[in-house]
Amino acid sequence: MSRAVLQARGIGMAYGTRRRPVTALHPTDFTVRAGESVAVVGRSGAGKSTLAEILLGLRRPSAGDVLVHGEHFCGHARGPRAHLRHVVQGVPQDAGASLPPRVPVRRSIERALLRLGVDGDPRARLARAAETARIDPALLERAPHQLSGGQAQRAAIARAVAVGADVVVADEPTSALDADTAAGLADALLALPGRTGGALLLITHDDALATRCDRVFTVREGKVEQSR
Ligand SMILES: Nc1ncnc2c1ncn2[C@@H]1O[C@H](COP(=O)(O)OP(=O)(O)OP(=O)(O)O)[C@@H](O)[C@H]1O
Ligand SMILES: [Mg+2]
């Protein structure tokens, strides 16, 4: 078996108040390994985005911890550790809004590479990442609001690849796209583990897409179970 890149240890989430907690995610353990694709399916409101946000360090869980390469990344007691942030990268549904506004996408990604101290020439690195994300490099000269939803998602994939993410978490990336664009984006995402050696965690309502992943987890009312 390949090495574990992401480990969830008892992560759970309760919203609401201390007196009236509403459990969105029951304590959950799982491991994502290098080179694998994992789908997370489940009905609306089941807790999938809550799970994704916790894994990305965007939401502090009410219980448990997330480990990246065996090292503590984030958890109930502590926010995400900055030096591990780039290892787990998200491709949100509204990817355009997650990129810095008004700045050409190329510039914001190259700045991120410099800030993170990523090895190599940023321009060359981003050119390779754009190829992996299957985005026309000319589109990276535009500001995020000048990109379509599908193009912005590819830009987000390029950013994740360029910064050297070992886990890409995509939360329903295809649900706002037309069928052709969705199929192209799904292909680009599913090809990521093979190209980068990292892992893909794909949250989707599309069962056909989920079956193309190596493993499938189903979330039912906040309980995560491996279904395949
Ligand atoms: N900030 C919040 N405060 C209170 N409750 C929340 C909050 N965010 C989510 N919830 C609740 O947590 C539960 C899980 O929500 P979540 O967004 O994780 O579902 P989901 O599986 O991603 O759904 P969808 O498929 O519609 O995106 C829902 O009952 C939701 O109402
Ligand atoms: Mg959701």
Side-chain angles (χ1 to χ4, degrees), residues 2-9 30-34 65-74 78 81 83-84 87-88 166-167:
S2 56
R3 71 197 152 80
V5 285
L6 188 78
Q7 288 165 284
R9 297 235 177 112
F30 64 86
T31 298
V32 177
R33 296 185 179 279
D65 295 290
V66 178
L67 279 64
V68 166
H69 294 308
E71 197 180 339
H72 184 270
F73 171 47
C74 61
R78 227 171 7 158
R81 298 176 70 184
H83 75 287
L84 293 172
V87 180
V88 192
D166 289 323
V167 187

Side-chain angles (χ1 to χ4, degrees), residues 206-227:
D206 181 346
D207 286 336
L209 192 52
T211 55
R212 292 172 62 193
C213 292
D214 299 319
R215 292 192 291 147
V216 181
F217 288 108
T218 302
V219 188
R220 282 190 196 89
E221 294 178 3
K223 294 202 178 78
V224 184
E225 283 159 15
Q226 187 170 340
S227 42

Side-chain angles (χ1 to χ4, degrees), residues 3 5 33-37 165-168 192-200:
R3 71 197 152 80
V5 285
R33 296 185 179 279
E36 72 170 348
S37 54
D166 289 323
V167 187
V168 171
L192 277 183
R195 293 197 62 148
T196 68
L200 171 70

Side-chain angles (χ1 to χ4, degrees), residues 150-166:
Q151 290 165 345
Q153 281 168 326
R154 283 175 192 268
I157 297 172
R159 180 177 60 178
V161 172
V163 302
D166 289 323

